[in-house]
């Protein structure tokens, strides 16, 4: 059994226990585990008030709200309680179980959502895990101890015997302390841990003062155990960095794209990483129209997404029709949620993702007059923006405001460029937007996009990607054949940052001289690129392939090691 630990997990579009890519990836991974019959169990936290809801005030300020949802409507109480010591308190934890059914309905994967919200705890403790990523400091530390150590103890209490713990991003790395407590042998602990690092931005790594960690865990493990697993004696005010804790104790450390491996090896000096490029669940992310089309022409694509390379055989007219129908649904949504009055005939671009500085969500609006010029010369442009920012992120809040202001300016100047900001981006909206636009725009600062997955979802639906050459796109992009790159193509080991001006010139230049001409004057060639987006990307950039790589390159290694250990010592924890 593989124990898959993750801070956020998006298992259902009605359950707001996620903020962005990490949670969506977890949900897609579990779906592929179920489909491919990988023996696994997931441990995550029950965010009863979600991450944040989003509305925009009339001046473009993001207004936050908690995301209420009915836990018992979607999840089963696991009917089990455990206690862990957390500082001076004994905290009682329970879990709710969500069962992910395989696509064929013949297999299941369980995900346990832990919560301290039980009557045994005091009111303050009950709230610790209410909201995802909103609180920092000691609350964040408590959340991560509940995830790592509470999760470990919960699996034990339910009588799971995982032979491998897959730590997805370092939030759950405290489970290493539990493993050490039970095994008391650093090498055995390491052979049980796979760590996937998801962020190439060291500033975002979780760090806590040693004295806080020691105080929080003092009745669980001795301080010396913490020194031992950190392989360093920390003073009280030194920071314990969870990414380093995970790196030092994982037999295998995994990056999420080839580029990210090289970026991470610079951050984690002295360590060699493997990489498994992220994917998406192809059935979840195909629009209803594309699903029907693929089922008609590519028998077996659900079981084997590799077969999607056969998209070339679909008649152009039917392929175009699936796109037009998806686009009509999107335009209907845009027009019902905004007064932008989009029309289906006009070229439509989407920039939909979390709003955070490195993603440069507003880059394309940097020079509104230039954009208007291009539209006047080459044809109308409609742009959809969507995405939430962390409520405490001033850069994100300012970026949303600037999108709002630029769109008001543009609306006062022309009808040739139309802009809509769709509030409250979520899985449901993502599904509609990414299948219905004509171009998927993504321009993060290179090399900070570890992988990215939204462009894979667009490609699966025949929407070409127009993206900075970073993360997964650096592996996939064939310029002008399955989409377009923004900025130069860097070497794998090149860590230089993107230049805003250079990237912006590429965005405007390629829109004007490549993309709009194709779309408006030579749609049959645009259609070729749309088909190539599917046939060259969907067969590989999916979670079935990703999970298969994890199984063969990482999980099976764990089993082999376990057998070797049994030969040597007679003990195997499987
Ligand atoms: C896929 C997805 C993401 C991740 O998007 P990236 O652009 O790859 O960061 C975030 N939010 C939602 C709702 C998604 O569907």
């Amino acid at each position: 059994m593989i124990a898959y630990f993750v801070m956020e997990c998006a298992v259902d579009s009605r359950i707001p226990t996620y903020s962005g890519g990490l949670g969506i990836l977890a949900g897609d991974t579990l779906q592929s585990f179920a489909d491919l019959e990988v023996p696994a169990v997931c441990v995550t936290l029950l965010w009863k008030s979600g991450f944040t809801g989003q509305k925009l005030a009339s001046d473009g300020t993001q207004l936050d709200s908690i995301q209420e949802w009915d836990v018992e409507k979607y999840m089963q109480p696991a009917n089990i309680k455990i206690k862990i010591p957390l500082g001076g308190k004994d905290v009682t934890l329970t879990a709710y179980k969500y069962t992910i059914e395989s696509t064929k309905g013949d297999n299941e994967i369980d995900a346990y959502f832990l919560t301290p919200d039980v009557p045994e705890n005091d009111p303050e403790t009950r709230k610790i895990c209410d909201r995802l990523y909103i609180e920092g400091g000691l609350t964040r530390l408590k959340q991560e101890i509940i995830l790592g150590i509470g999760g470990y103890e919960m699996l034990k209490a339910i009588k799971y015997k995982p032979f491998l713990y897959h730590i997805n991003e370092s939030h759950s790395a405290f489970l290493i302390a539990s493993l050490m407590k039970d095994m008391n042998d650093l090498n055995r602990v390491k052979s049980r841990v796979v760590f996937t690092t998801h962020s190439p931005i060291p500033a975002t790594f979780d760090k806590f003062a040693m004295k806080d960690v020691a105080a929080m865990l003092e009745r669980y493990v001795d301080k010396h155990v913490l020194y031992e697993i950190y392989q360093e004696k920390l003073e009280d005010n030194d920071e314990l960095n969870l990414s380093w804790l995970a790196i030092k104790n994982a037999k295998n450390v995994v990056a999420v794209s080839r580029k990210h491996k090289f970026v991470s090896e610079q951050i984690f000096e002295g360590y060699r990483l493997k990489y498994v490029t992220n994917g998406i669940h192809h059935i979840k992310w195909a629009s209803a129209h594309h699903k029907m089309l693929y089922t008609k022409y590519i028998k077996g694509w659900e079981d084997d997404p590799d077969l999607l390379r056969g998209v070339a055989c679909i008649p152009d007219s039917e392929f175009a029709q699936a796109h037009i129908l998806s686009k009509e649904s999107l335009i209907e949504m845009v027009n019902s949620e905004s007064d932008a009055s989009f029309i289906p005939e006009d070229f439509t671009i989407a920039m939909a993702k979390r709003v955070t500085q490195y993603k440069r969500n507003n880059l394309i609006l940097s020079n509104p007059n230039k954009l208007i010029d291009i539209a006047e010369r080459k044809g109308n442009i409609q742009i959809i923006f969507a995405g939430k920012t962390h409520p405490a992120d001033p850069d994100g809040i300012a970026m949303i405001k600037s999108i709002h202001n630029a769109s008001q300016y543009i609306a006062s100047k022309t009808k040739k460029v139309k802009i809509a900001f769709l509030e409250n981006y979520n899985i449901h909206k993502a599904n509609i937007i990414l299948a219905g636009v004509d171009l998927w725009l993504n321009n993060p600062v290179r090399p900070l996009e570890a992988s990215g997955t939204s462009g894979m979802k667009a490609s699966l639906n025949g929407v070409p990607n127009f993206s900075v050459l970073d993360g997964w796109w650096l592996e996939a992009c064939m310029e002008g054949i399955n989409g377009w790159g923004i900025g130069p193509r860097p070497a794998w080991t090149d860590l230089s940052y993107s230049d805003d001006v250079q990237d912006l010139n590429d965005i405007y230049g390629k829109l004007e001289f490549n993309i709009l001409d194709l779309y408006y004057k030579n749609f049959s060639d645009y259609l070729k690129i749309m088909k190539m987006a599917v046939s060259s990307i969907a067969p590989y950039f999916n979670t079935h392939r990703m999970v298969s790589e994890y199984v063969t390159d990482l999980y099976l290694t764990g089993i082999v090691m376990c057998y070797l250990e049994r030969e040597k010592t007679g003990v195997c924890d499987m």
Side-chain angles (χ1 to χ4, degrees):
M1 184 67 81
I2 313 292
Y4 184 94
F5 277 67
V6 72
M7 183 82 150
E8 52 170 307
C9 190
V11 287
D12 183 312
S13 65
R14 295 161 302 182
I15 303 179
T17 49
Y18 64 93
S19 136
L22 181 68
I24 307 271
L25 177 74
D28 286 13
T29 302
L30 298 183
Q31 189 64 54
S32 285
F33 279 164
D35 292 350
L36 300 175
E37 300 186 35
V38 177
V41 60
C42 172
V43 176
T44 183
L45 296 177
L46 188 77
W47 305 104
K48 287 202 167 171
S49 306
F51 168 56
T52 182
Q54 180 198 54
K55 278 197 171 305
L56 293 202
S58 56
D59 69 345
T61 307
Q62 169 172 298
L63 304 174
D64 308 306
S65 55
I66 62 169
Q67 296 175 290
E68 300 281 6
W69 61 287
D70 184 351
V71 174
E72 308 239 339
K73 187 166 160 195
Y74 302 109
M75 296 187 184
Q76 300 284 323
N79 291 323
I80 188 155
K81 282 183 179 166
I82 60 160
K83 261 189 198 159
I84 61 165
L86 199 57
K89 291 177 187 168
D90 283 330
V91 171
T92 302
L93 301 173
T94 189
Y96 283 79
K97 187 167 91 170
Y98 184 91
T99 303
I100 292 116
E101 216 182 273
S102 66
T103 305
K104 290 198 171 131
D106 55 357
N107 189 39
E108 290 178 343
I109 294 283
D110 289 332
Y112 288 91
F113 288 73
L114 266 62
T115 178
D117 187 15
V118 292
E120 289 86 341
N121 295 326
D122 59 61
E124 190 195 334
T125 303
R126 293 182 70 160
K127 286 190 189 329
I128 293 173
C129 299
D130 272 9
R131 285 187 76 182
L132 173 64
Y133 299 142
I134 300 298
E135 264 140 327
L138 282 185
T139 304
R140 182 68 165 258
L141 174 59
K142 288 175 191 168
Q143 291 171 349
E144 299 189 353
I145 290 173
I146 290 174
L147 176 63
I149 290 175
Y152 179 93
E153 297 293 342
M154 183 64 79
L155 288 184
K156 232 163 100 175
I158 309 175
K159 312 242 181 293
Y160 279 104
K161 288 205 169 99
F163 72 89
L164 260 184
Y165 291 81
H166 187 171
I167 297 178
N168 274 279
E169 200 43 294
S170 64
H171 312 101
S172 56
F174 284 119
L175 73 82
I176 290 161
S178 303
L179 277 171
M180 191 63 182
K181 185 175 153 97
D182 280 357
M183 291 181 163
N184 196 25
D185 174 342
L186 215 50
N187 283 325
R188 277 180 71 205
V189 169
K190 280 187 191 173
S191 70
R192 294 291 176 274
V193 178
V194 172
F195 170 46
T196 300
T197 174
H198 292 260
S199 166
I201 308 176
T204 66
F205 294 169
D206 280 316
K207 303 167 208 82
F208 303 102
M210 180 62 197
K211 64 172 182 305
D212 292 335
V213 177
M216 219 44 94
L217 294 180
E218 70 185 350
R219 293 186 301 123
Y220 187 74
V221 283
D222 192 89
K223 203 148 83 168
H224 294 283
V225 173
L226 296 177
Y227 296 153
E228 207 175 337
I229 55 178
Y230 207 62
Q231 293 153 42
E232 199 178 320
K233 184 173 179 311
L234 295 172
E235 300 301 329
D236 280 358
N237 291 320
D238 289 344
E239 279 178 333
L240 186 147
N241 177 316
L242 283 196
S243 292
W244 277 101
L245 176 64
I247 291 271
K248 291 175 181 186
N249 291 284
K251 171 85 189 161
N252 284 301
V253 183
V254 190
V256 293
S257 71
R258 180 172 167 86
K259 176 78 186 182
H260 181 226
K261 164 192 154 72
F262 291 104
V263 178
S264 300
E265 283 176 350
Q266 302 279 333
I267 299 170
F268 302 110
E269 232 186 296
Y271 286 83
R272 280 289 290 276
L273 275 72
K274 300 194 169 184
Y275 73 93
V276 176
T277 305
N278 282 164
I280 54 158
H281 193 270
H282 56 291
I283 307 169
K284 264 195 200 179
W285 291 104
S287 81
H289 303 297
H290 290 87
K291 263 191 239 180
M292 262 163 41
L293 190 64
Y294 298 158
T295 301
K296 179 171 169 191
Y297 285 100
I298 308 173
K299 300 272 180 278
W301 74 282
E302 293 100 327
D303 292 346
D304 188 354
D306 224 15
L307 298 174
L308 287 168
R309 55 182 94 257
V311 156
C313 303
I314 298 175
D316 281 0
S317 58
E318 285 186 59
F319 190 82
Q321 187 61 14
H323 178 66
I324 290 162
L325 292 172
S326 305
K327 189 170 179 182
E328 280 169 358
S329 315
L330 168 63
I331 302 276
E332 209 171 288
M333 179 170 82
V334 170
N335 290 343
S336 73
E337 292 189 14
S338 74
D339 46 19
S341 306
F342 277 26
I343 57 170
E345 292 74 23
D346 284 357
F347 182 70
T348 306
I349 305 174
M351 162 59 76
K353 51 195 67 256
R354 269 187 316 119
V355 178
T356 182
Q357 197 167 34
Y358 87 88
K359 297 220 184 223
R360 299 188 295 186
N361 306 60
N362 57 353
L363 188 66
I364 191 174
L365 299 180
S366 306
N367 187 348
N369 292 329
K370 173 84 183 169
L371 203 54
I372 294 172
D373 266 8
I374 295 172
E376 279 172 354
R377 276 200 293 273
K378 301 294 174 124
N380 294 353
I381 300 171
Q382 307 180 125
I383 311 178
I384 297 167
F385 288 90
K388 300 171 185 173
T389 191
H390 188 288
D393 176 2
D395 299 323
I397 292 166
M399 205 145 39
I400 293 175
K401 257 192 172 159
S402 85
I403 292 169
H404 173 85
N405 293 342
S407 55
Q408 288 202 328
Y409 171 79
I410 290 171
S412 75
K413 293 274 173 197
T414 184
K415 289 210 174 339
K416 292 191 161 293
V417 179
K418 292 177 186 163
I419 294 173
F421 190 102
L422 302 185
E423 295 170 326
N424 210 35
Y425 189 52
N426 57 27
I427 295 179
H428 171 69
K429 284 196 180 165
N431 247 316
I432 297 174
I433 299 172
L434 53 86
V437 283
D438 301 307
L439 188 70
W440 190 257
L441 177 65
N442 182 45
N443 46 239
V445 175
R446 202 183 60 236
L448 303 182
E449 183 92 315
S451 165
T453 53
S454 60
M456 303 174 190
K457 301 171 197 164
S459 304
L460 168 71
N461 290 289
V463 172
N465 211 49
F466 184 28
S467 177
V468 164
L469 292 160
D470 197 19
W472 80 279
W473 189 232
L474 193 50
E475 296 167 31
C477 178
M478 296 186 276
E479 181 69 21
I481 292 174
N482 63 1
W484 295 270
I486 296 170
R489 177 178 280 271
W492 297 112
T493 50
D494 179 357
L495 297 183
S496 65
Y497 273 43
S498 327
D499 178 315
D500 283 357
V501 175
Q502 192 180 28
D503 286 359
L504 192 61
N505 284 340
D506 244 13
I507 292 175
Y508 291 149
K510 287 187 185 176
L511 262 182
E512 178 166 2
F513 299 108
N514 304 53
I515 301 172
L516 284 166
D517 282 342
L518 266 188
Y519 185 83
Y520 281 120
K521 296 202 190 126
N522 194 355
F523 189 72
S524 67
D525 277 1
Y526 200 84
L527 208 55
K528 286 200 182 105
I529 294 177
M530 295 177 73
K531 281 181 153 183
M532 275 303 281
V534 186
S535 62
S536 69
I537 291 168
Y540 184 81
F541 295 94
N542 60 71
T543 42
H544 274 32
R545 184 271 314 157
M546 184 196 89
V547 162
S548 305
E549 282 187 28
Y550 269 105
V551 169
T552 50
D553 297 352
L554 295 143
Y555 301 162
L556 281 176
T557 320
I559 297 183
V560 171
M561 305 242 313
C562 195
Y563 274 100
L564 290 178
E565 187 175 291
R566 187 161 69 181
E567 276 178 10
K568 239 176 23 199
T569 64
V571 184
C572 176
D573 312 88
M574 251 165 80

